[in-house]
Amino acid sequence: MKVIILIDAKNFERGVYSLCERRKEFRFIDFHKLNKFIIEYLSNNPQYKNILLQHIRTYFYSGEYTENLIRKIDKFLKENPSKANHVSILLDKCKREYKKQSNFLKFTKNYLFFEVKLKPLQFSQSDLRILQKGVDVQLAVDLVDFTHKNVYDIGVILSGDIDLIESVKNAKGMGKQIIIMGNSSVTAEEMKRHADLFIDIERFNEAQLNQFTHIYNKKENLVGL
């Protein structure tokens, strides 16, 4: 059976960080190893016993830090010095994340069967914060498109966003098996109900987590989003 993996980076990371808080440890996700872990995990599930699972491709969806975003925040800061305290912190964070994301994207070029799909992040002058728009929509559109093109048999979605529910129903209605993997605490209940299988990362033991995450080591250079 053909398997595709669709990752909503922000949503999945939020689930992992929530797990880390509960366990009082900090882990970062190794997206390069996720596909292998997922295929092996499913292969050990009774419903896929003696069934060959073929990983087709992993799709990674996230907001993109851009030079244009940095310029907009910098311009706003210069024009609104009274808001310097908050905006300067936001600008510094944006610059750090831009550099970190750029490094991550360089690494992903060497990942096999791994495609990154980014939507430019937006700066809200009214709320003084960075907004992510269109990422969940792109994932939903792709899921429906892949379903109609019969690209896969099993779709593994690393997101619990309720906005994906209609695309999940559509895929199941066309005979596809949909698996949701994430943290139960940040996954919509309706998503759990409609999934053929819900994989709660909160139930993973140390050995399982170590297969796709690493405990933070100050001596290491973190590469991620």
Side-chain angles (χ1 to χ4, degrees):
M1 300 182 76
K2 298 179 292 184
V3 181
I4 62 168
I5 301 169
L6 302 97
I7 306 170
D8 179 339
K10 184 177 180 180
N11 190 282
F12 185 64
E13 286 178 337
R14 185 155 55 94
V16 172
Y17 295 156
S18 176
L19 178 151
C20 289
E21 286 182 0
R22 186 177 66 79
R23 301 192 182 190
K24 299 187 183 333
E25 61 185 17
F26 179 75
R27 291 176 175 270
F28 64 96
I29 305 165
D30 189 339
F31 289 101
H32 184 220
K33 295 182 177 180
L34 254 179
N35 62 316
K36 180 180 179 182
F37 170 77
I38 290 172
I39 295 299
E40 290 182 352
Y41 183 90
L42 293 180
S43 296
N44 291 324
N45 190 289
Q47 71 188 86
Y48 297 116
K49 186 178 180 180
N50 299 323
I51 295 178
L52 177 62
L53 301 180
Q54 179 188 6
H55 173 242
I56 301 300
R57 191 173 301 276
T58 294
Y59 296 88
F60 180 93
Y61 302 82
S62 183
E64 180 182 15
Y65 288 90
T66 63
E67 292 182 350
N68 186 48
L69 175 64
I70 294 174
R71 283 194 296 269
K72 285 183 177 180
I73 299 175
D74 187 47
K75 180 181 178 182
F76 180 85
L77 178 60
K78 292 174 180 177
E79 295 175 348
N80 299 272
S82 63
K83 300 179 180 180
N85 287 341
H86 182 81
V87 180
S88 59
I89 294 174
L90 188 66
L91 180 60
D92 289 341
K93 178 185 177 181
C94 188
K95 289 179 178 178
R96 290 196 306 271
E97 293 299 321
Y98 172 76
K99 183 177 180 180
K100 189 164 70 170
Q101 187 178 68
S102 296
N103 289 334
F104 172 77
L105 294 177
K106 289 178 183 178
F107 275 84
T108 61
K109 292 180 180 179
N110 297 316
Y111 294 178
L112 297 176
F113 314 112
F114 190 96
E115 183 172 338
V116 176
K117 296 199 171 189
L118 304 175
K119 291 288 185 181
L121 292 165
Q122 307 295 319
F123 171 56
S124 170
Q125 295 186 6
S126 58
D127 298 331
L128 298 182
R129 63 192 183 99
I130 297 173
L131 303 176
Q132 175 177 288
K133 293 184 177 182
V135 171
D136 53 347
V137 174
Q138 184 63 63
L139 193 159
V141 168
D142 284 351
L143 179 61
V144 172
D145 183 46
F146 298 152
T147 298
H148 285 266
K149 291 179 179 177
N150 200 30
V151 171
Y152 70 99
D153 301 303
I154 303 170
V156 183
I157 303 173
L158 276 61
S159 175
D161 193 334
I162 191 62
D163 290 341
L164 301 175
I165 192 65
E166 291 305 321
S167 60
V168 167
K169 291 179 180 178
N170 179 282
K172 288 182 62 183
M174 295 191 67
K176 304 303 181 183
Q177 297 180 20
I178 299 297
I179 297 170
I180 306 295
M181 174 174 159
N183 191 319
S184 181
S185 65
V186 297
T187 301
E189 290 300 320
E190 193 172 358
M191 287 288 282
K192 297 176 191 176
R193 288 198 301 272
H194 282 279
D196 291 299
L197 173 66
F198 173 63
I199 303 173
D200 187 358
I201 63 173
E202 282 278 1
R203 296 178 178 274
F204 288 166
N205 58 37
E206 195 79 4
Q208 289 173 313
L209 284 174
N210 288 340
Q211 291 182 54
F212 68 93
T213 68
H214 301 289
I215 293 179
Y216 173 62
N217 185 333
K218 290 183 178 180
K219 295 181 180 180
E220 295 178 338
N221 292 319
L222 294 186
V223 178
L225 288 179

